[in-house]
Amino acid sequence: QILSKLRMKEAPNISRDTVKQLLPKAPPLQQLLDQYDVLGDDNKDVVLEDDDEHAITETIVMMAIEPDPVVQVEGEPKCCFFSFTQKFQASRIVRAQLWVHLRPADEATTVFLQISRLVPVTDGSRHARIRSLKIDVNSGVSSWQSIDVKQVLTVWLRQPETNLGIEINAFDSRGNDLAVTSAEPGEEGLQPFMEVKISEGPKRARRDTGLDCDENSPESRCCRYPLTVDFEDFGWDWI
């Protein structure tokens, strides 16, 4: 029944360790995981009144994929293209952040993080710079950096033909590129990704009239009882 609700025919053959490698090891993802770890079942008491209007927002995280060969020269660059579904509408974008992981620098330095728009190789120029950021970093310290790309995303959504991907560079004072843009050994989960918050508009919430009971409740009416499911007990460590 659970698989049916997940629209799956069978459990995927994937281990938790593999999932951890695939997930971005980045601040917003960690905050999200921590939030759900902390919430658990402690948020039962939240009751929404009738006629309350709630503006619902949804945060979507998209991993970068390889851009179309039309913008590549001898298979380069390998990163980054982001595909957007119909759910993304320019008027509903609340925030859009591009997250990039920087490798440690050999010395304290200033890093110039540059995002360039990829164009077809036949156009003569490879790319046009669209955003840049100057970052001071300490020696031997890796870090996640985010850059506001709401304006860029808005243009892509209104003119989809301009979205052929971007190239990301983060040059230090010696010209070394510190940006992680592919999954090299030891850098799994550190590839760039985009975090987009979308507004779903105000929605009416119904009063929660359900009864919560436990095994000691004398209640005879229809009632909600707690059910704890340990997925690891039946081998679902991919949850």
Side-chain angles (χ1 to χ4, degrees):
Q1 286 179 322
I2 295 173
L3 282 173
S4 173
K5 292 292 185 185
L6 295 173
R7 297 182 182 177
M8 300 171 72
K9 292 181 179 178
E10 58 187 21
N13 183 21
I14 186 169
S15 71
R16 176 174 292 180
D17 289 339
T18 306
V19 172
K20 284 183 176 179
Q21 288 180 356
L22 295 174
L23 280 176
K25 302 181 176 74
L29 264 295
Q30 196 54 56
Q31 289 168 9
L32 199 61
L33 292 171
D34 291 345
Q35 173 187 341
Y36 281 99
D37 277 347
V38 169
L39 277 179
D41 291 327
D42 296 335
N43 57 343
K44 295 177 187 172
D45 302 334
V46 179
V47 177
L48 300 176
E49 295 297 327
D50 269 336
D51 300 332
D52 279 356
E53 296 270 335
H54 296 271
I56 306 298
T57 58
E58 179 181 2
T59 299
I60 300 175
V61 172
M62 291 168 297
M63 300 300 295
I65 59 175
E66 188 170 325
D68 193 280
V70 72
V71 299
Q72 295 178 328
V73 175
E74 297 180 353
E76 297 291 339
K78 293 284 187 188
C79 183
C80 303
F81 178 76
F82 296 95
S83 178
F84 303 101
T85 64
Q86 291 182 340
K87 177 175 282 193
F88 292 87
Q89 297 178 21
S91 60
R92 290 189 172 180
I93 303 299
V94 177
R95 188 181 68 203
Q97 300 283 124
L98 176 69
W99 288 84
V100 181
H101 190 77
L102 302 186
R103 299 182 186 93
D106 294 333
E107 58 187 10
T109 184
T110 298
V111 174
F112 292 90
L113 176 58
Q114 301 172 352
I115 303 171
S116 303
R117 181 168 58 89
L118 292 170
V119 298
V121 177
T122 52
D123 286 3
S125 69
R126 282 288 306 285
H127 40 53
R129 188 176 305 169
I130 50 179
R131 291 303 308 272
S132 60
L133 193 66
K134 190 167 84 167
I135 306 158
D136 293 325
V137 299
N138 295 322
S139 171
V141 179
S142 62
S143 63
W144 280 99
Q145 302 292 336
S146 68
I147 187 166
D148 183 355
V149 289
K150 180 181 177 182
Q151 188 175 1
V152 178
L153 179 53
T154 301
V155 172
W156 282 346
L157 295 175
R158 289 180 174 151
Q159 302 172 351
E161 70 278 4
T162 65
N163 178 23
L164 294 174
I166 55 176
E167 186 170 17
I168 301 170
N169 302 109
F171 295 110
D172 64 12
S173 55
R174 295 186 176 184
N176 300 312
D177 190 357
L178 303 182
V180 176
T181 55
S182 60
E184 301 299 327
E187 294 183 338
E188 296 86 356
L190 301 181
Q191 300 95 298
F193 69 94
M194 196 174 290
E195 177 194 12
V196 183
K197 180 174 279 190
I198 296 176
S199 170
E200 296 288 349
K203 292 190 177 179
R204 192 177 298 275
R206 289 188 310 182
R207 181 185 295 274
D208 184 356
T209 56
L211 289 173
D212 288 325
C213 301
D214 59 37
E215 56 188 11
N216 299 316
S217 298
E219 188 58 60
S220 59
R221 290 174 293 174
C222 188
C223 201
R224 279 196 303 249
Y225 289 88
L227 172 65
T228 301
V229 178
D230 188 340
F231 290 106
E232 290 190 12
D233 276 356
F234 50 101
W236 283 18
D237 64 350
W238 51 274
I239 293 281

